[in-house]
């Protein structure tokens, strides 16, 4: 019989609770249900404390399963759902099996290699035995179901299997040297190495599914995506399908949260990875969010911040979340902010999730590739944070206007590069320099070279330098001066790539000037190329660049207007910093035309907030919003020539939903 993993509620919110003495766990579940209305739980165990001592024995598993069964029985009699959050998988404690051998040649202290047949058989049998006794409604495998955080496992099993696949023996040292390079030959070997890790995890997932199926075929199993899943050969989909098997709906909890401190302004960047997978996994895969702000208290993350995160989660189309609503301590009632947020916003989030299920996220395009973006350093695209903070909505699907950083410029094949150069494309300095090195300079209308400061080392001391927008790109009543790319910023400035040799048709958007008013070099350009595309080059690089040269009101307006000039299809926030906009449009006929989620990431209220609407949205018959009780009501706004203006302030982390009818 086919059993689907789903809840009658939308969104599907599942609250993890510690698997412990039944009386203590039941007391917490009762409090969470009676006070806040939670109905779905996930008991996490066996304890990660075993990592410090030993792989759990059969008796350890049996004892925990017995506790679980008692808690589940109470929950089922009270109409509550109870799943198992399986904490011990690859990282299960010293086991006597083959440990993962790390890149530096040391053995992992508590992780075992999935390619060790003894370990995979034992773990599968233990999970199946637990499931048979406990009978959870569902199982989530914890996100340490992974190998690749340190480039994979270099144990004898991995090296032998890789040699068999490649027809050549490699030592750990040889592999590490290859993995550090980005030549085509090295990247081909890196792909195969990651494929081995992918296959090892898929095989282990299939063994677990088969073992559970033997005695408990009705229990669905899902994956908590690891932060290293992309390094593990982009394993998310295939591991999720292996765990589901043929008789269950696949489901996965996507990673993307804040631990030990919620940085509100980085929410657009942090949610990006979850958005990408929500948009690129097949539609039959249910996507949940990791709403886990460890250690789950307001010293680190506020209730308002949780509201903002959940608003972004459901606006991005995820069906639910693993919602960590409490601290993992005894009698956690002293910290109830997260539960209160759920109770207060449940009706509104339900309506939002139901509407979002009919939509696709739209906006300018920000690219991501699970292989190329994870080769070196920070994986998320560097454009996600500035676009989010500039109030420019973005999608991970193809759009008329795209924003590229170095990764897309370096690794896209020639056909892809030419396709993107044929439409609207905005490049940071690194992307432009790389495309010039690849021979595409003629389509940029400018040559992007090395750091300006290399040729002018004393310029770094010129704190009177600035960037000035040319007359054609700024109205007469607006300011033209921006901070210079090298102006003092303790957190870093990135690189100011020198732009030179503009084509006759290249339009200079802005230039850098020294303190005496002498032009240093162009800093932004626009060019209509022979392929029919419009290309903007920004001389500043985005990597490690949180400086005021990037994050300022005038850069915000420039990028908004340039995107609209390339394709007047996108809304944006006109007159406020740090208002994150997520845009959605129905995939088919609906009784609404669009939804805009507006989240103020700034501590100050956004007064008289103006939203630019493109022509296709501007003529909506009415503008509505979602009230706290979940009803669709009239939005307090007034129309103006280019969009609408909100009549009430947009407050910090208090989302407003604009629904165009």
């Amino acid at each position: 019989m086919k059993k689907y993993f789903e809840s009658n509620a939308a969104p599907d919110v599942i609250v993890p609770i510690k698997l412990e003495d039944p009386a203590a766990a039941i007391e917490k579940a009762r409090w969470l249900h009676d006070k806040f209305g939670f109905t779905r739980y996930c008991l996490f165990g066996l304890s990660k404390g075993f990592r410090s001592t030993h792989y759990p024995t059969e008796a350890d598993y049996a004892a925990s399963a017995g506790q679980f069964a008692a808690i589940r029985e109470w929950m089922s009699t009270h109409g509550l759902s109870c799943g198992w959050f399986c904490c011990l998988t690859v990282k299960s404690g010293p086991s006597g099996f083959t440990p993962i051998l790390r890149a530096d040649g040391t053995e992992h202290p508590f992780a075992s290699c999935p390619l060790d047949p003894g370990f995979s058989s034992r773990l599968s049998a233990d999970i199946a035995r637990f499931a048979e006794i406990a009978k959870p409604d569902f199982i989530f495998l914890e996100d340490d179901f992974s190998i690749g955080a340190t480039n994979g496992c270099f144990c004898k099993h991995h090296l032998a299997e890789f040699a068999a696949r490649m027809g050549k023996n490699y030592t750990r040292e040889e592999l590490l040297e290859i993995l550090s390079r980005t030549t085509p030959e090295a990247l081909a070997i890196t792909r195969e190495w990651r494929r081995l890790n992918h296959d090892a995890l898929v095989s282990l997932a299939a063994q677990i599914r088969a073992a559970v199926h033997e005695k408990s075929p009705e229990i669905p199993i899902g994956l908590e995506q690891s932060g290293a899943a992309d390094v593990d050969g982009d394993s998310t989909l295939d591991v999720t399908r292996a765990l589901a098997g043929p008789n269950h709906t696949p489901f996965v909890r996507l990673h993307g949260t804040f631990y030990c401190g919620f940085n509100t302004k980085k929410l657009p960047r942090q949610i990006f990875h979850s958005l990408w997978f929500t948009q690129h996994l097949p539609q039959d895969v249910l996507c949940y969010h990791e709403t886990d702000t460890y250690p789950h208290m307001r010293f680190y993350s506020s209730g308002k911040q949780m509201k903002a995160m959940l608003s972004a989660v459901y606006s991005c189309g995820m069906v639910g979340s693993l919602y960590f609503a409490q601290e993992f301590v005894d009698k956690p009632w002293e910290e109830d902010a997260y539960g209160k947020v759920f109770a207060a916003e449940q009706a509104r989030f339900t309506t939002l999730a139901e509407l979002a299920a009919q939509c696709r996220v739209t906006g300018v395009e920000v690219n991501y590739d699970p292989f190329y973006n994870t080769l070196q350093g920070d994986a998320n695209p560097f454009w996600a944070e500035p676009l989010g903070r500039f109030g420019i909505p973005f999608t991970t699907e193809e759009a008329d206007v795209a924003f590229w950083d170095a990764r897309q410029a370096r690794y896209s094949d020639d056909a892809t590069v030419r396709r993107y150069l044929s439409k609207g494309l905005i490049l940071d300095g690194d992307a432009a320099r790389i495309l010039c090195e690849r021979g595409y300079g003629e389509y940029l209308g400018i040559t992007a070279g090395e750091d300006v400061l290399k040729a002018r080392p004393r310029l770094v001391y010129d704190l009177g330098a600035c960037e000035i927008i040319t007359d054609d790109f700024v109205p007469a009543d607006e300011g033209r001066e921006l901070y210079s790319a090298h102006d003092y910023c303790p957190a870093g400035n990135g690189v100011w790539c020198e732009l030179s040799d503009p084509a006759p048709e290249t339009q200079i958007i802005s230039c850098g000037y020294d303190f005496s008013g002498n032009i240093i070099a162009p800093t932004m350009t626009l060019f209509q190329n022979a392929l029919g595309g419009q290309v903007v080059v920004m001389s500043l690089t985005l990597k490690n660049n949180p400086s005021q040269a990037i994050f300022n009101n005038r850069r915000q307006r420039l990028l908004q207007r340039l995107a609209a000039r390339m394709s007047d299809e996108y809304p944006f926030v006109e007159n406020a910093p740090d208002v994150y906009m997520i845009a959605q449009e129905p995939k088919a006929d609906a009784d609404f035309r669009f939804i805009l989620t507006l989240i103020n990431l700034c501590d100050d209220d956004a007064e008289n907030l103006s939203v630019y609407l493109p022509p296709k949205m501007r003529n909506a018959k009415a503008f509505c919003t979602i009230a706290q009780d979940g009803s669709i009501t009239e939005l307090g706004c007034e129309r103006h020539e280019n969009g609408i203006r909100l009549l009430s302030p947009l407050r910090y982390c208090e989302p407003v939903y604009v629904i165009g009818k």
Side-chain angles (χ1 to χ4, degrees):
M1 181 180 73
K2 191 164 190 173
K3 180 177 179 180
Y4 290 92
F5 179 77
E6 60 187 3
S7 168
N8 292 327
D12 186 11
V13 176
I14 302 169
V15 179
I17 297 177
K18 185 178 180 181
L19 174 53
E20 56 184 335
D21 174 71
I26 289 169
E27 183 181 27
K28 292 173 183 176
R30 180 185 286 115
W31 174 69
L32 288 164
H33 174 262
D34 293 350
K35 189 171 179 65
F36 309 118
F38 293 113
T39 60
R40 299 260 279 170
Y41 300 93
C42 201
L43 302 179
F44 64 90
L46 285 55
S47 172
K48 289 186 178 181
F50 281 106
R51 295 177 175 184
S52 68
T53 58
H54 64 280
Y55 182 97
T57 65
E58 290 186 15
D60 293 326
Y61 269 99
S64 287
Q67 288 181 325
F68 190 108
I71 299 165
R72 179 191 52 75
E73 183 177 358
W74 179 87
M75 287 196 182
S76 64
T77 61
H78 288 77
L80 307 178
S81 176
C82 182
W84 178 31
F85 187 129
C86 178
C87 289
L88 301 182
T89 57
V90 173
K91 295 180 178 178
S92 296
S95 64
F97 299 111
T98 306
I100 283 181
L101 190 67
R102 297 183 288 200
D104 62 2
T106 61
E107 294 182 350
H108 197 289
F110 52 81
S112 301
C113 177
L115 285 181
D116 184 329
F119 171 71
S120 59
S121 296
R122 173 68 184 275
L123 179 65
S124 301
D126 287 336
I127 291 174
R129 188 177 302 109
F130 183 101
E132 182 183 1
I133 298 169
K135 291 299 181 185
D137 292 334
F138 55 89
I139 299 172
F140 266 111
L141 295 191
E142 202 255 5
D143 56 14
D144 285 325
F145 194 84
S146 174
I147 301 172
T150 57
N151 273 329
C153 174
F154 297 85
C155 75
K156 60 183 181 181
H157 299 293
H158 269 77
L159 293 183
E161 177 60 24
F162 196 60
R165 293 182 177 205
M166 301 298 290
K168 178 182 177 181
N169 289 317
Y170 290 91
T171 65
R172 175 177 57 84
E173 293 80 6
E174 288 171 336
L175 277 171
L176 286 173
E177 196 277 328
I178 292 169
L179 296 174
S180 70
R181 291 191 276 117
T182 57
T183 63
E185 297 78 14
L187 291 178
I189 295 174
T190 299
R191 278 192 186 274
E192 292 304 317
W193 178 248
R194 290 188 176 189
R195 169 57 61 173
L196 173 58
N197 292 327
H198 165 284
D199 293 349
L201 292 171
V202 172
S203 176
L204 178 57
Q207 280 186 260
I208 292 170
R209 174 72 263 174
V212 172
H213 183 83
E214 188 173 337
K215 293 292 182 64
S216 309
E218 76 284 359
I219 299 176
I221 309 174
L223 174 69
E224 294 186 20
Q225 182 190 47
S226 166
D230 297 354
V231 178
D232 285 328
D234 189 15
S235 59
T236 300
L237 175 59
D238 291 339
V239 169
T240 300
R241 287 211 182 281
L243 291 172
N247 298 324
H248 294 281
T249 298
F251 59 100
V252 58
R253 186 234 64 188
L254 303 171
H255 81 76
T257 189
F258 296 98
Y259 279 6
C260 297
F262 194 119
N263 188 333
T264 309
K265 294 182 188 297
K266 291 190 179 296
L267 179 59
R269 174 191 176 279
Q270 207 70 5
I271 207 77
F272 178 88
H273 192 266
S274 299
L275 170 63
W276 191 91
F277 273 91
T278 300
Q279 291 194 295
H280 289 270
L281 288 173
Q283 289 190 356
D284 67 315
V285 179
L286 303 180
C287 294
Y288 290 72
H289 182 255
E290 178 188 17
T291 318
D292 174 3
T293 55
Y294 175 83
H296 323 125
M297 64 176 97
R298 281 172 291 174
F299 281 104
Y300 297 92
S301 304
S302 70
K304 282 190 175 183
Q305 289 172 323
M306 296 296 279
K307 183 191 297 187
M309 178 180 280
L310 287 172
S311 174
V313 165
Y314 302 129
S315 296
C316 288
M318 283 164 263
V319 301
S321 70
L322 259 67
Y323 186 62
F324 288 70
Q326 59 171 358
E327 292 182 80
F328 293 146
V329 295
D330 65 319
K331 301 186 182 300
W333 356 110
E334 62 199 17
E335 186 57 88
D336 61 359
Y338 305 164
K340 285 180 176 178
V341 165
F342 171 82
E345 295 296 312
Q346 182 183 14
R348 181 153 37 199
F349 285 149
T350 296
T351 299
L352 173 62
E354 290 172 347
L355 293 174
Q358 306 173 53
C359 295
R360 52 186 289 266
V361 175
T362 60
V364 300
E365 178 185 354
V366 180
N367 300 80
Y368 180 80
D369 181 276
F371 180 74
Y372 291 120
N373 273 70
T374 54
L375 288 172
Q376 296 175 330
D378 191 351
N380 281 328
F382 303 132
W383 278 110
E385 183 179 344
L387 290 175
R389 294 178 63 184
F390 289 166
I392 302 173
F394 59 81
T395 181
T396 71
E397 297 177 343
E398 188 157 345
D400 292 339
V401 178
F403 286 71
W404 275 17
D405 63 32
R407 277 78 63 94
Q408 293 79 44
R410 178 175 289 116
Y411 297 118
S412 296
D413 60 34
D414 289 333
T416 300
V417 172
R418 293 181 69 86
R419 178 160 55 85
Y420 277 85
L421 287 170
S422 301
K423 56 182 185 177
L425 184 61
I426 297 179
L427 307 168
D428 83 332
D430 277 335
R433 176 181 53 78
I434 291 166
L435 287 179
C436 287
E437 291 171 354
R438 293 184 61 181
Y440 292 105
E442 65 176 294
Y443 302 110
L444 308 188
I446 197 85
T447 297
E450 295 299 322
D451 189 344
V452 166
L453 298 180
K454 283 188 175 181
R456 302 173 178 83
R458 293 200 60 79
L459 187 62
V460 72
Y461 306 115
D462 183 356
L463 299 187
C466 66
E467 179 182 354
I468 297 178
I469 307 169
T470 59
D471 291 344
D472 290 341
F473 289 90
V474 62
D477 61 346
E478 289 185 8
R480 302 166 58 205
E481 190 174 320
L482 297 85
Y483 293 100
S484 175
H486 69 281
D487 198 36
Y488 177 66
C489 178
N493 292 85
V495 173
W496 179 0
C497 293
E498 184 155 12
L499 303 185
S500 61
D501 302 321
E505 302 85 0
T506 298
Q507 299 179 69
I508 306 300
I509 298 171
S510 62
C511 287
Y513 292 79
D514 67 16
F515 80 105
S516 298
N518 300 309
I519 291 179
I520 301 168
T523 45
M524 288 186 76
T525 60
L526 171 65
F527 181 64
Q528 175 102 30
N529 62 39
L531 300 175
Q534 297 184 74
V535 179
V536 168
V537 172
M538 183 175 72
S539 63
L540 295 89
T541 65
L542 292 177
K543 184 177 182 180
N544 299 326
N545 190 358
S547 75
Q548 61 272 26
I550 296 291
F551 292 98
N552 63 73
N553 295 294
R554 295 169 186 183
R555 187 80 61 199
Q556 175 186 25
R557 287 196 294 270
L558 270 178
L559 291 172
Q560 289 175 342
R561 291 166 179 170
L562 288 166
R565 178 173 181 158
M566 293 173 172
S567 177
D568 196 4
E569 293 287 316
Y570 312 113
F572 52 78
V573 176
E574 284 195 291
N575 61 336
D578 288 332
V579 176
Y580 177 27
M581 176 189 283
I582 302 170
Q584 303 174 75
E585 297 181 38
K587 292 178 278 191
D589 289 341
D591 63 355
F592 62 95
R593 301 174 64 178
F594 61 85
I595 307 171
L596 306 179
T597 297
L598 304 175
I599 307 174
N600 187 1
L601 308 179
C602 178
D603 294 347
D604 293 334
D605 291 350
E607 304 273 0
N608 302 310
L609 187 73
S610 178
V611 178
Y612 174 85
L613 297 176
K616 67 178 182 180
M617 295 181 177
R618 200 174 301 159
N619 60 358
K621 294 179 180 178
F623 298 101
C624 301
T625 191
I626 308 174
Q628 190 169 22
D629 66 1
S631 61
I632 305 296
T633 61
E634 183 179 355
L635 175 69
C637 69
E638 60 183 14
R639 294 179 187 261
H640 58 70
E641 182 181 0
N642 294 321
I644 59 171
R645 182 174 291 106
L646 301 189
L647 298 180
S648 298
L650 184 66
R651 304 193 188 282
Y652 173 70
C653 287
E654 295 284 355
V656 167
Y657 310 98
V658 179
I659 303 173
K661 290 286 190 174

